[in-house]
Amino acid sequence: MSQVTRPTVAPPAPWHFPAATTHDLPNGLHLVTYDVPGQYVVSVRLAVPVPLDSEPTLREGVGTIMARTLDEGTETCTAEEFARLLERKGVGYGAGVSDAGLSLDLDVVKGNLEPALDLLRQILTEPVFREAEVARHVRSRLAEIEQERSIGANRSMLEFVRTFYAPTDRSSRPTGGSPETVSTITRDDVAAHYRQHVTASGSTLVVAGDLGGLDVPALVDAALADWPSGPARARFIERSATHANHRSRVVLVDRPGAVQSDFLVGAPGPDRSAPGGWAPYPVLAYVLGGSPTARLDAVLREEKGYTYGTRSSFRPKRGGGSFLTFGSVRADVTAESIGIIVDILEGGRDGFSEKEVRAGVDYIAKTAPGRFATADAIADEAVGMAMDGRTTAFTTANLHDLVTVDRDRVTDAYERFTRLAGVGSGARGAGWTIVVVGDASQHREPLEALGLGEVTVVTDD
Amino acid sequence: MTAISYPLAETTLANGLRVVVSEDHTVPNVAVNLWVDVGSRHESPGRTGFAHLFEHLMFQGSRNVASGEHFSALMEQGARLNATTWFDRTNYFETVPTGALHLALWLEADRHGHLLDALTQENLDNQRDVVKEEKRQRYDNMPYGSALIDVYAAAFPEGHPYHHPTIGSMDDLDAATLDDVHAFFRAHYGPNNTVLTLVGDLTPEEGFAAAKTYFGPLPAIELQRRERLPQLEPLATPVRVDRAGDVPNDRLYVAFRMPVDATPDYLAASIAVDVVAGLASSRLMRRLVRTDETATSVGGWTMGLVDGVGLGAITADVAEGADPDEVEAAICDELTRFIDEGPDEAELESVVADTERSWLSALASIEERADHISHHALLTGDPAYVNTFVDRLRAITADEVRAAAAVWLVPSSRAVVRYLARDEAEVAA
């Protein structure tokens, strides 16, 4: 059989994020639209800058309960009827809360955008928060907390934020509240939170999809011009992280008999305003733990077969961020794997090869057109940028900067990250917050023997 | 009528490879998607999990490609790629910048034609370990992680191709040998057992020519295929499985055998499941979650399969303090009522609107579009199904939905799997 020669690859043409058009409503709502031909399902995303720390301490989670009950009925409609109204127009709807604010998502076929926007108007301006619906969502959230705690990966994140952030920082506690706070939330708490925060000023509405033949600004004016403005406020929440004084340590959440251990190894990371640019950081994460051939999985998965896969990523917030490496490993190699992970992550001090850096740059840059091809991906990126105080001009500028990233810039980024995080400053493991969810009776002593810092065992009820 | 229709062009190479091209120049990318007609339904006893383990080995090198190079060579060109294995098929895919299409096809042809040249005991042992960790991560160490495995075993008889899960068993994974891998490759991996779909920034002529260049030299294999099994009847009597364990709350899976994928009966039965439990405004959502408050969530889904049966299920998370027996009785009660009444107009309208939006959302990305095209080209022989599905669904009448429910969703034909929180189970015992 004749051998077919390995083909060469033609470089892709330069690419930019789809162009945005903006429109401001008198009530302060800022509209951003993206016309993406061929995307027949239109994605609507609304960001309302509601700070997480505006929740009363004893009612943490009230924002989440509010988000989930906004569509649970109006003066003229029961919750059931409203669910049916959304469904008959084929509207996919969801709402949630993060430390960047409240967000509402609607996806709808192009022909139903107008009725979908009217349903959004009702959600924003006419919710009644009936006692029964709020109480039901409180009970659902309490059940959800138990479910979240039962999943190793989620449990490790809950323990991580508790260890990583100072107790005074809201980020140290679950976004959706804890059983103690959620169980006390009443419809009056929810209604008060709604009245105070769900207003147009400072809010951003993104509409992306095949908008040909639609006058989206007119449709949005018609639907949302009467949404009350509320007090003036910024479009994003300015905040910074306060880390725990004693965050550099190992916490072992006991799961007797677990056949795997979930882990999360993290440290403070940059935000998108980092000196030297944001672009080198995703490259760094890619080289360390962003693919099956990255440094971590080359050893843990492909050489040793200890894991189905691990991942590293920088998670920027408006102020500060984090660098997280997470996954799960076979129980009997837990401590060995944690040692390998820390050594690989700290091994960045020995530098990066041009080939590694180029692979990371190329992957992130060249996947961009495909990653941002659909209406929902475009709208998600746009609303994420808005909540970060940016626009998708940042996305394009960052991609253009990305292709200039070389070994020196990645090395500088690594050096800056480790210096600020206190990684590599002293003993092995210094600067990292390490959480392991696994069998404490098996792993405590081997983890202590690694010398990565104090090991604390946490036991769930 | 659904206004949207994606263009489709098909050809079959001399060696039997079916090629489907759907041209779409909106993004300078091409989705490359291969479906091989082998899944866990083709596995023999004692060799469960093998199709999936084999899929892992497809990333460990082939005649002209080093171990891991498939990933690295494509990713550095901006490809997003992976592979999946399921009951009916194994799927390999990458979305690449247009300029990397030929490289992707060259790499795929090398492993689909010449995998065995690079296979080693070391690779097999390594990926066996990786697959075991995948099983532990997704099933063994996950609350309710094994529930669907129990559902398959309860709903389908011993020896049926869908009785065992795709992930297989630890013992069978341990038993896999290099000889098994060789035999499996020779029996199933050939152009005449594969569909190649290309969606995106290319013309059909370009796609067909590229497919021929790289896959044309691969020889057809000798296929020994049995006929698909005849339709399995609904269960004659209820089947029950109870698991007591470390789960946060009681959860019920009330499952039913279904007609085979893409048939009018399957669509009608799937509408029934949506109306009863799948929609946000479903009957069980209204009754169990909103009115009785005996469940915190309810779901309903169907799984289209080709080998003589499909699967449908209603799931419910039982609220704290509520009785799982009562929840199950309410589910049966609503099914009986539905079989009596059928859906109303608003319910049918909701299913169609909801399905249309989610279907068009799925087709919005070239990679998912390619996947659905491959699916139907391989398993139902009709890639144009992507363009006609919503209209087919819309054509189903309320009477047909009611009639399908009366056959397939009769409570006495249910298979019930219950995961019960340990405290309660101990009290009950």
Side-chain angles (χ1 to χ4, degrees):
Chain A
M1 190 187 337
S2 68
Q3 191 65 56
V4 184
T5 318
R6 183 177 179 130
T8 54
V9 175
W15 182 85
H16 59 81
F17 198 87
T21 303
T22 63
H23 170 74
D24 285 288
L25 276 68
N27 61 1
L29 178 64
H30 181 63
L31 171 67
V32 188
T33 62
Y34 296 86
D35 182 19
V36 196
Q39 291 292 305
Y40 303 112
V41 176
V42 175
S43 291
V44 179
R45 303 286 183 266
L46 177 71
V48 186
V50 185
L52 210 48
D53 61 10
S54 69
E55 299 179 348
T57 309
L58 297 175
R59 299 286 184 277
E60 284 182 356
V62 68
T64 296
I65 298 296
M66 181 199 74
R68 293 175 182 184
T69 48
L70 279 168
D71 66 324
E72 290 282 8
T74 64
E75 289 290 354
T76 55
C77 235
T78 67
E80 259 180 55
E81 287 164 350
F82 201 81
R84 180 51 60 84
L85 284 177
L86 285 167
E87 223 146 38
R88 286 180 82 160
K89 294 299 176 190
V91 179
Y93 168 76
V97 164
S98 74
D99 65 356
L102 166 72
S103 57
L104 279 68
D105 300 358
L106 288 89
D107 292 286
V108 65
V109 294
K110 182 178 174 177
N112 280 344
L113 179 61
E114 185 170 3
L117 287 172
D118 188 62
L119 290 166
L120 176 61
R121 174 190 67 75
Q122 295 177 52
I123 286 167
L124 291 171
T125 64
E126 298 180 0
V128 288
F129 307 112
R130 290 187 181 88
E131 184 78 54
E133 309 302 343
V134 171
R136 181 166 63 77
H137 277 276
V138 164
R139 283 194 295 275
S140 292
R141 169 66 193 144
L142 291 171
E144 179 187 72
I145 290 171
E146 290 308 308
Q147 294 188 353
E148 285 171 355
R149 292 169 68 90
S150 72
I151 297 169
N154 292 346
R155 184 67 189 86
S156 67
M157 183 53 94
L158 290 169
E159 201 60 35
F160 179 81
V161 296
R162 200 161 80 93
T163 312
F164 185 69
Y165 292 107
T168 51
D169 191 323
R170 175 66 178 83
S171 297
S172 68
R173 296 182 297 279
T175 303
S178 60
E180 299 72 38
T181 61
V182 170
S183 58
T184 68
I185 292 169
T186 66
R187 64 90 39 204
D188 290 345
D189 296 325
V190 172
H193 195 70
Y194 161 78
R195 280 193 304 273
Q196 193 178 352
H197 297 292
V198 183
T199 50
S201 175
S203 297
T204 302
L205 185 74
V206 176
V207 179
D210 190 321
L211 306 182
L214 295 176
D215 185 348
V216 176
L219 292 174
V220 171
D221 280 337
L224 298 178
D226 292 336
W227 182 19
S229 172
R233 61 182 163 184
R235 287 200 186 281
F236 59 92
I237 300 160
E238 196 64 81
R239 60 198 188 283
S240 58
T242 310
H243 299 115
N245 290 328
H246 194 41
R247 65 164 182 81
S248 177
R249 59 198 175 100
V250 182
V251 180
L252 176 53
V253 181
D254 190 20
R255 281 291 165 86
V259 295
Q260 274 191 332
S261 298
D262 290 277
F263 63 85
L264 208 165
V265 178
D271 58 53
R272 293 186 177 88
S273 66
W278 169 249
Y281 291 98
V283 178
L284 186 50
Y286 181 88
V287 171
L288 291 170
S291 83
T293 53
R295 290 184 178 189
L296 282 166
D297 269 358
V299 177
L300 286 174
R301 177 182 152 122
E302 296 300 310
E303 182 190 322
K304 296 186 177 291
Y306 288 175
T307 179
Y308 179 46
T310 63
R311 282 293 177 272
S312 298
S313 71
F314 282 94
R315 306 278 177 91
K317 293 185 176 189
R318 172 68 198 179
S322 55
F323 175 63
L324 305 180
T325 295
F326 49 92
S328 60
V329 292
R330 201 173 76 218
D332 64 346
V333 293
T334 298
E336 182 191 346
S337 299
I338 297 296
I340 290 169
I341 291 162
V342 167
D343 289 346
I344 288 175
L345 296 176
E346 295 186 356
R349 65 174 171 264
D350 299 326
F352 300 90
S353 74
E354 196 58 59
K355 186 168 182 289
E356 286 180 307
V357 169
R358 190 49 40 204
V361 166
D362 283 343
Y363 176 75
I364 300 165
K366 292 177 183 176
T367 52
R371 285 187 284 122
F372 298 122
T374 56
D376 57 346
I378 290 164
D380 287 345
E381 175 73 4
V383 81
M385 282 294 145
M387 293 173 107
D388 201 47
R390 293 177 164 81
T391 70
T392 50
F394 177 90
T395 312
T396 295
N398 183 61
L399 281 166
H400 290 165
D401 183 38
L402 174 65
V403 296
T404 72
V405 167
D406 57 11
R407 190 166 68 167
D408 288 346
R409 284 185 66 191
V410 170
T411 303
D412 288 350
Y414 181 82
E415 194 279 324
R416 179 176 178 279
F417 154 67
T418 51
R419 178 166 40 82
L420 294 177
V423 167
S425 60
R428 179 193 191 202
W432 300 107
T433 302
I434 299 171
V435 176
V436 176
V437 180
D439 191 329
S441 70
Q442 282 188 51
H443 310 318
R444 180 183 189 143
E445 284 179 21
L447 281 169
E448 283 172 343
L450 290 173
L452 301 177
E454 175 192 333
V455 177
T456 311
V457 174
V458 172
T459 307
D460 289 339
D461 322 331
Chain B
M1 282 293 289
T2 308
I4 294 140
S5 185
Y6 292 102
L8 294 165
E10 291 177 64
T11 193
T12 302
L13 302 189
N15 59 12
L17 180 73
R18 283 164 285 172
V19 185
V20 186
V21 178
S22 184
E23 188 173 356
D24 180 344
H25 299 283
T26 53
V27 177
N29 278 189
V30 179
V32 177
N33 189 296
L34 291 125
W35 275 45
V36 183
D37 196 356
V38 61
S40 57
R41 78 178 178 96
H42 299 95
E43 292 164 350
S44 44
R47 291 292 181 273
T48 67
F50 199 83
H52 171 242
L53 173 60
F54 184 90
E55 172 230 299
H56 276 244
L57 293 170
M58 287 284 274
F59 291 91
Q60 302 305 116
S62 49
R63 178 177 290 173
N64 298 293
V65 181
S67 185
E69 190 185 355
H70 188 90
F71 267 121
S72 58
L74 281 170
M75 288 178 85
E76 69 190 27
Q77 296 300 339
R80 291 168 295 137
L81 67 151
N82 213 331
T84 64
T85 309
W86 193 228
F87 287 115
D88 290 330
R89 89 293 184 280
T90 311
N91 172 27
Y92 301 86
F93 55 93
E94 48 269 333
T95 300
V96 297
T98 310
L101 169 64
H102 286 251
L103 175 66
L105 292 174
W106 182 85
L107 286 162
E108 290 291 6
D110 203 63
R111 64 181 181 173
H112 281 264
H114 313 293
L115 178 83
L116 299 179
D117 293 16
L119 186 69
T120 64
Q121 186 67 47
E122 191 188 357
N123 278 339
L124 173 60
D125 292 342
N126 168 254
Q127 289 304 307
R128 188 199 331 261
D129 284 345
V130 170
V131 167
K132 285 179 171 180
E133 293 318 304
E134 178 176 359
K135 182 175 187 299
R136 290 188 177 107
Q137 180 176 317
R138 297 171 62 173
Y139 302 87
D140 304 345
N141 203 37
M142 181 66 70
Y144 315 103
S146 300
L148 287 184
I149 296 177
D150 288 330
V151 168
Y152 307 144
F156 305 129
E158 188 98 33
H160 191 278
Y162 301 137
H163 181 80
H164 76 272
T166 302
I167 193 70
S169 76
M170 289 293 193
D171 287 346
D172 288 358
L173 289 170
D174 277 331
T177 66
L178 276 182
D179 284 348
D180 293 330
V181 180
H182 279 261
F184 193 86
F185 182 78
R186 293 207 177 95
H188 301 291
Y189 278 72
N192 49 328
N193 203 34
T194 302
V195 164
L196 167 66
T197 300
L198 303 171
V199 176
D201 185 22
L202 80 176
T203 65
E205 294 71 28
E206 288 166 342
F208 296 156
K212 191 176 174 192
T213 300
Y214 300 103
F215 282 85
L218 304 188
I221 57 170
E222 191 180 328
L223 278 174
Q224 294 186 329
R225 308 249 102 165
R226 62 167 170 79
E227 292 292 307
R228 288 178 184 172
L229 296 173
Q231 176 70 50
L232 207 53
E233 296 299 313
L235 282 164
T237 53
V239 175
R240 311 189 64 81
V241 177
D242 276 1
R243 300 277 183 211
D246 235 352
V247 290
N249 59 260
D250 297 344
R251 183 180 290 176
L252 307 184
Y253 298 78
V254 180
F256 298 89
R257 293 175 181 170
M258 290 269 135
V260 296
D261 192 19
T263 57
D265 280 351
Y266 174 78
L267 295 182
S270 73
I271 292 173
V273 171
D274 273 349
V275 169
V276 173
L279 292 171
S281 60
S282 72
R283 292 183 178 198
L284 282 168
M285 181 72 190
R286 288 181 337 233
R287 173 155 173 189
L288 294 179
V289 178
R290 291 187 186 280
T291 306
D292 297 354
E293 299 188 353
T294 50
T296 54
S297 68
V298 164
W301 48 263
T302 57
M303 187 186 286
L305 299 167
V306 299
D307 211 357
V309 73
L311 183 66
I314 293 167
T315 62
D317 279 300
V318 179
E320 193 179 337
D323 180 353
D325 290 337
E326 277 180 26
V327 172
E328 185 181 335
I331 291 171
C332 293
D333 189 41
E334 286 299 326
L335 285 169
T336 303
R337 189 167 72 87
F338 184 83
I339 288 166
D340 201 36
E341 298 171 351
D344 67 28
E345 200 178 319
E347 286 173 327
L348 277 185
E349 190 188 354
S350 296
V351 171
V352 171
D354 194 58
T355 306
E356 179 176 38
R357 189 247 317 136
S358 60
W359 182 244
L360 293 180
S361 282
L363 299 180
S365 76
I366 58 172
E367 45 269 27
E368 270 196 74
R369 202 182 312 153
D371 196 50
H372 285 292
I373 291 169
S374 285
H375 173 169
H376 287 283
L378 184 81
L379 296 180
T380 69
D382 178 21
Y385 194 85
V386 295
N387 290 328
T388 60
F389 166 60
V390 176
D391 289 333
R392 288 176 196 228
L393 195 79
R394 194 177 273 128
I396 307 276
T397 65
D399 275 349
E400 289 167 335
V401 174
R402 196 200 58 73
V407 174
W408 298 103
L409 299 175
V410 181
S412 60
S413 298
R414 71 191 187 278
V416 181
V417 173
R418 309 198 304 176
Y419 274 55
L420 303 173
R422 197 185 293 281
D423 297 353
E424 224 165 288
E426 279 168 0
V427 172

